[in-house]
Amino acid sequence: MTPDLLAPLDLAFWNIESDRHPMHLGALGVFGAHSPTAGAHAADLLAARAAAVPGLRLRIRDVWQPLAFGAAVRETDPDFDPLNHVRLHAPTADFHAAAGRLMERPLERGRPPWEAHVLPGEDGTSFAVLFTFHHALADGLRALGLAAGVLDPVDLPARAPRAIEPPRGLLSDVRRLPGLLPGLVRGVLSDAGRALDIGASLARSTLGMRPSSALTSTPSGTRRTAGVVLDIDDVHRVRKTVGGTVNDVLIAVVAGALRRWLEERGESTRGVAPRALIPVSRRRPRTAHPQGNRLSGYLIPLPVGESDPLGRLDTVRTAMVRHKDAGPDRGAGAVALLADHVPALGHRLGGPLVGQAARLWFDILVTSVPMPSLGLRLGGHELAEVYPLAPLAPGQSLAVAISTYRGRVHYGLVADARAVPDLDRFAHAVSAELETLLIACAA
């Protein structure tokens, strides 16, 4: 495979990483087990199948050539060995506790940056697999595709053949240049205007919003994870009653859970409005960087200080409508787009500073990860639960990732273990908040 130059945002993720802030995302899948040896069999299958997935053989190598000084490329690792990436662990009674400890460890940068940890359950009736992928290797959608490559084959509907355009010659491209130049100039000016707009919006976003101290912390390098499962029918019941989208309801649940959790801690929620970064995928089929991150985002204040649950939902819905009307290319949440305007060496030198600045940009990450509606299996064992896990930015203590799989919503929670020793209480608050919304809708 020809080396593939990392897109600017991928390079940013590669350089932001530190020992205390590994930049890998994860997914904890829980499978039903037919026998106590199911976990060991699953580990053997993962190792055997990984060798046949080209994307899992890719390592990231720094480049110091004159025309790409400070850049990095994805390339096939000639020494790839799946056994360096698939690990079978001792049986455990708590999959999330084990996943939290494993999420602390940075992936080895000298080989393909991914791992699959198989965690047999102590009771022999289940096992879990924790997949981790460096964010420079894959975004959530790409990671899902890589993980699917080592699960049991699934019959998918045939894709319609794509029409192939005849290649244009050099003379044809030259003849087209005069007509393209005005558009190119407008594009440059538009990009400059968009960058100024993003910068101004980012400055405004820091005014008048007060996050809770529980969402910021001195980095400890420790991790804790937890999971919550909600019934998608309950979410739809709320949506149909008050309007908006499923995503609006799921974000409002986070806002209400934060309020409940902080009050249980004895903290005041008056005026608290932490800035939530809601990533928005800009990926298009068959783009120039099909494996790279193509992300923008919306930055919205979570109405934690609002006491009325339906009022919180209305505030979230209004903010999301406003951002969607403006589009994902403007506003403070689109700051990731600025990575495209930074040279490779700038990412190399400025990566640590950018990472430290994340706490000035947003207070909590709330991201949605797409999942297929069809059932997934490994070695014939059905995937029952799947919790997406997002990386923590420096100085932040909590990240929330959400996926919907087979009629249930899964919240994957990642926290700094020292800053948030009571993550299970926040997980309980998520479930309680949906119940509160259902009661409010029925009133």
Side-chain angles (χ1 to χ4, degrees):
M1 181 178 289
T2 304
D4 174 38
L5 196 67
L6 260 63
L9 188 54
D10 299 340
L11 189 61
F13 286 135
W14 189 242
N15 288 300
I16 286 173
E17 183 171 62
S18 67
D19 289 341
R20 289 194 170 190
H21 285 94
M23 288 304 298
H24 53 254
L25 46 86
L28 180 67
V30 180
F31 298 80
H34 300 158
S35 71
T37 60
H41 177 56
D44 291 340
L45 279 177
L46 292 173
R49 293 172 177 175
V53 181
L56 296 179
R57 305 177 70 95
L58 296 178
R59 67 181 180 184
I60 296 176
R61 178 174 58 84
D62 295 333
V63 177
W64 300 103
Q65 298 170 357
L67 296 180
F69 196 74
V73 295
R74 294 185 196 86
E75 64 180 11
T76 300
D77 182 359
D79 300 318
F80 174 69
D81 183 350
L83 296 179
N84 290 329
H85 301 265
V86 179
R87 294 180 173 85
L88 176 64
H89 295 262
T92 178
D94 189 336
F95 295 139
H96 279 288
R101 292 189 295 269
L102 293 169
M103 287 291 288
E104 296 177 2
R105 299 165 29 180
L107 296 169
E108 187 168 329
R109 293 168 74 94
R111 58 192 183 203
W114 69 273
E115 290 179 345
H117 299 273
V118 181
L119 308 167
E122 279 188 349
D123 59 5
T125 63
S126 64
F127 66 92
V129 179
L130 173 67
F131 289 102
T132 56
F133 298 92
H134 198 287
H135 219 331
L137 179 70
D139 59 9
L141 189 60
R142 172 68 175 165
L144 175 62
L146 292 174
V150 291
L151 299 179
D152 292 355
V154 176
D155 292 329
L156 297 174
R159 178 178 294 178
R162 182 190 178 202
I164 300 176
E165 297 181 4
R168 291 192 301 262
L170 176 61
L171 182 59
S172 173
D173 288 338
V174 171
R175 287 172 176 168
R176 294 173 67 243
L177 277 176
L180 292 175
L181 283 175
L184 293 173
V185 172
R186 284 195 301 271
V188 170
L189 294 177
S190 176
D191 286 347
R194 195 157 51 232
L196 290 173
D197 174 77
I198 292 170
S201 297
L202 182 59
R204 289 193 298 270
S205 74
T206 62
L207 302 175
M209 294 187 186
R210 185 170 69 88
S212 165
S213 59
L215 298 179
T216 58
S217 65
T218 300
S220 71
T222 59
R223 293 292 181 271
R224 186 184 301 273
T225 76
V228 186
V229 181
L230 305 179
D231 192 323
I232 191 63
D233 289 340
D234 289 339
V235 177
H236 279 300
R237 199 168 292 120
V238 174
R239 179 191 62 80
K240 290 176 181 178
T241 301
V242 300
T245 68
V246 165
N247 204 39
D248 295 340
V249 177
L250 298 180
I251 296 170
V253 165
V254 174
L258 284 171
R259 177 182 175 85
R260 186 183 300 267
W261 176 59
L262 293 173
E263 289 181 341
E264 288 178 354
R265 280 181 153 208
E267 296 190 28
S268 172
T269 57
R270 184 176 181 180
V272 172
R275 295 159 300 174
L277 177 63
I278 316 293
V280 177
S281 176
R282 298 174 66 248
R283 179 189 290 277
R284 295 292 181 270
R286 303 176 182 88
T287 58
H289 294 280
Q291 301 170 46
N293 286 276
R294 306 294 296 171
L295 294 172
S296 181
Y298 302 143
L299 194 69
I300 70 169
L302 294 181
V304 173
E306 168 63 57
S307 60
D308 176 25
L310 296 182
R312 289 193 292 270
L313 177 52
D314 183 66
T315 299
V316 168
R317 183 175 62 241
T318 301
M320 290 296 287
V321 168
R322 183 173 63 250
H323 280 292
K324 289 174 184 177
D325 287 344
D329 293 345
R330 290 189 177 276
V335 72
L337 301 181
L338 299 181
D340 292 341
H341 303 281
V342 177
L345 187 59
H347 285 294
R348 179 78 58 181
L349 299 177
L353 294 176
V354 171
Q356 294 301 323
R359 71 175 72 189
L360 302 177
W361 174 25
F362 64 97
D363 304 302
I364 183 173
L365 177 73
V366 182
T367 183
S368 296
V369 180
M371 285 291 297
S373 58
L374 43 83
L376 299 175
R377 295 175 179 271
L378 177 57
H381 304 283
E382 185 174 0
L383 176 64
E385 303 168 17
V386 57
Y387 302 95
L389 303 172
L392 280 182
Q396 295 174 340
S397 56
L398 179 64
V400 179
I402 309 168
S403 66
T404 301
Y405 176 66
R406 308 208 77 184
R408 298 197 294 176
V409 178
H410 294 79
Y411 281 76
L413 312 176
V414 178
D416 185 291
R418 292 184 187 173
V420 187
D422 56 345
L423 184 62
D424 289 342
R425 293 175 64 184
F426 177 74
H428 177 74
V430 170
S431 297
E433 179 60 17
L434 181 57
E435 290 296 328
T436 298
L437 282 169
L438 287 169
I439 293 170
C441 289

